[in-house]
Amino acid sequence: MRDGIEEGGWESHRPKLSYPFEHGPKTGEAVDIAPGVKWMRMPLGGALAFINVWAIADKAPDGRDGWAIVDTGISGMETRNAWRAVLQGPLEGKPVTRVFVTHMHPDHIGMSGYLTRKFDARLWITRLEYITCRSLAADTGREAPADAVAFFKATGWDEDALESYRAKFGGFGRGLYALPDSFHRLNDGDEVRIGDHTWRVVVGSGHSPEHACLYSPELKLMISGDQVLPKISSNVSVFPTEPDGDPLTDWITSLARIKTQIPDDVLVLPAHNDPFHGLHARLDHLISGHERGLTRLHELLAEPKRVVDVFSVLFRRPINENLLGLATGESLAHLNCLIARGQVVRQRDQNGVDWYRAAA
Ligand SMILES: [Zn+2]
C-alpha cells in the first residue's frame, strides 16, 4: 500500500520510543486508548498485515450517541466483516456519525464509502486528498499512459519491468469501495469538536498531497495516519503524473513543522505499528535518516548513475520485482530533492534514459 519499506540496517541510532500497550486489538475487538477513544485494526494483505483505525465518541446531528471513525481499511469482504464485528461488538451497535480519513491511500480511504452509505454519514477529508483520490480511481480500467511508460523507461527499467507495469496499471481503484460522492473539507489549523473534545487538524505533505493528522491537546493524543510511523519510514515517491515533483522537500518540511505544532508529550496513534510516546525524537530521526540518505546518494553520484543504479545507498534490502516501483519512486524523490538543492544534475541519453551526477 504505498507505505514505505520497513527500516533496516541503516537505522543504527534509532531513538528509544515507548509503547504503552502490550497488546493491540484482534480483528473485531477494540482497545480503549482514552475516555471515548478506541483503537481497532482492519486486516490488510501483505507485509503490513493490518491498519489501525480509531473510533471517537461523538454525537450525531440528531443528538444520538455515535462514533466518529478515523480511517477505514482497504475495500474487501475481510474488512467489511471486521467492520460488522466491531460495530456490533465494542462499538455497541451505535451509529457512525462521520468518517474522517487522514489521506487517500486505499488502506485508509478504501471503506469510507461503505461506512458513509451504511450510516448516511459525511466523509471529512482535505480537498487535495479527495480530489487526487478521485482522479487516481478514474485510471482504473484505462491502459497505462505513454507518459507513464516513458517515465519508468527513463529510470532504467527493462522491458520486462515495463511489461508488468502495463499489466498491473490501474490497481489503485481496486482497493476502493465506491467513493463517497461528496465530502466535508478539512483545512490545516481547523479545530474540530468531536464529542467532548477538540481536535486540531495538522496537515503534512510528501507521503500524500494534503495528509491530515488530528491532534487533541486535552487528551494529549495525535492521530498521525502515515505521516509519523514509529517503525516504518513512510513512502515518499515521485509518480509519473508529476515527474519533476519534489515531495521529499515537502516531507522534510512537514516533519519539521509538526514538531513546532504538536508537543512531545502526546501519545501518537499511528496507522501502522503500535501507539507510542517519543514524537519529537521520531521526527528528528526521520529527518536525519533522509538527510543521511541524501548525503550517501550525492557521494555515489560522483560517477553518473541511472535511478535503478542507486537503490543500494537508499535501501538495505535487495529490491525485487515487487519493490521496484516503490524503490524507483523513492529514489527519484531523493534525486529530485538533490536537483532542487542544486547538488545534482540530470541528463537524458539518446535512449530516453536519465543519468544523474553530482553538480560540478
Ligand atoms: Zn499512506
Side-chain angles (χ1 to χ4, degrees):
M1 280 312 91
R2 301 184 181 228
D3 288 312
I5 296 177
E6 188 102 16
E7 291 176 6
W10 292 118
E11 301 297 316
S12 45
H13 305 291
R14 178 183 287 191
K16 259 197 119 45
L17 306 175
S18 71
Y19 298 90
F21 295 90
E22 214 163 296
H23 299 287
K26 293 193 178 72
T27 301
E29 297 178 354
V31 167
D32 288 314
I33 292 286
V37 181
K38 289 181 187 290
W39 171 21
M40 300 162 301
R41 280 174 165 166
M42 294 293 140
L44 287 179
L48 292 171
F50 57 80
I51 177 171
N52 298 321
V53 302
W54 316 93
I56 305 171
D58 196 15
K59 283 246 187 268
D62 63 8
R64 281 188 301 159
D65 285 334
W67 299 100
I69 299 297
V70 186
D71 285 340
T72 66
I74 194 163
S75 181
M77 293 283 273
E78 266 192 274
T79 313
R80 194 204 58 191
N81 291 341
W83 272 116
R84 285 183 175 169
V86 291
L87 287 163
Q88 286 314 311
L91 301 186
E92 300 169 340
K94 291 178 191 164
V96 169
T97 54
R98 42 191 161 163
V99 178
F100 290 84
V101 167
T102 56
H103 68 296
M104 53 132 188
H105 292 156
D107 49 336
H108 299 259
I109 200 171
M111 285 294 267
S112 60
Y114 168 77
L115 292 171
T116 56
R117 286 179 180 87
K118 187 177 171 73
F119 293 99
D120 192 20
R122 184 73 75 199
L123 169 67
W124 290 49
I125 188 172
T126 64
R127 184 185 278 169
L128 261 184
E129 296 294 333
Y130 181 76
I131 300 296
T132 311
C133 190
R134 295 223 13 190
S135 78
L136 287 172
D139 275 347
T140 298
R142 283 182 65 193
E143 66 177 41
D147 278 13
V149 174
F151 169 87
F152 287 112
K153 189 161 184 273
T155 68
W157 281 19
D158 61 20
E159 201 42 55
D160 281 352
L162 293 173
E163 192 48 55
S164 60
Y165 174 73
R166 286 192 196 93
K168 283 187 220 155
F169 183 78
F172 184 90
R174 287 189 275 277
L176 305 175
Y177 192 94
L179 281 175
D181 292 307
S182 58
F183 70 105
H184 178 100
R185 183 182 180 185
L186 292 176
N187 290 290
D188 185 52
D190 281 356
E191 305 261 347
V192 181
R193 191 82 185 167
I194 306 174
D196 293 335
H197 302 285
T198 298
W199 295 76
R200 188 178 308 152
V201 177
V202 179
V203 164
S205 182
H207 173 69
S208 65
E210 196 186 1
H211 180 298
C213 300
L214 295 173
Y215 159 51
S216 171
E218 301 150 68
L219 294 170
K220 294 189 192 306
L221 293 176
M222 174 198 189
I223 296 177
S224 66
D226 284 347
Q227 183 74 36
V228 189
L229 299 172
K231 292 180 178 167
I232 298 166
S233 167
S234 307
N235 176 246
V236 175
S237 276
V238 172
F239 293 103
T241 40
E242 193 188 346
D244 299 323
D246 180 13
L248 188 56
T249 296
D250 292 342
W251 180 246
I252 292 171
T253 308
S254 326
L255 295 176
R257 183 172 169 272
I258 287 171
K259 197 176 164 183
T260 69
Q261 302 275 310
I262 303 182
D264 196 31
D265 63 357
V266 291
L267 176 65
V268 184
L269 309 181
H272 304 288
N273 315 128
D274 289 359
F276 70 97
H277 287 289
L279 173 66
H280 286 194
R282 183 59 183 153
L283 292 168
D284 289 343
H285 187 69
L286 287 168
I287 293 170
S288 63
H290 285 295
E291 290 294 347
R292 285 195 300 272
L294 288 165
T295 301
R296 290 193 301 270
L297 183 57
H298 184 245
E299 286 165 3
L300 180 75
L301 297 177
E303 296 290 325
K305 300 275 189 256
R306 302 167 302 170
V307 177
V308 294
D309 302 325
V310 308
F311 296 158
S312 64
V313 297
L314 294 175
F315 313 106
R316 198 57 171 239
R317 281 208 264 168
I319 300 304
N320 60 25
E321 198 193 296
N322 288 333
L323 292 173
L324 181 62
L326 199 69
T328 299
E330 287 219 18
S331 298
L332 266 168
H334 286 78
L335 289 163
N336 284 0
C337 178
L338 287 173
I339 291 173
R341 291 180 181 188
Q343 291 183 280
V344 160
V345 292
R346 177 181 68 202
Q347 196 163 26
R348 183 158 292 192
D349 68 18
Q350 67 272 31
N351 299 316
V353 176
D354 289 331
W355 293 82
Y356 297 81
R357 61 178 171 76

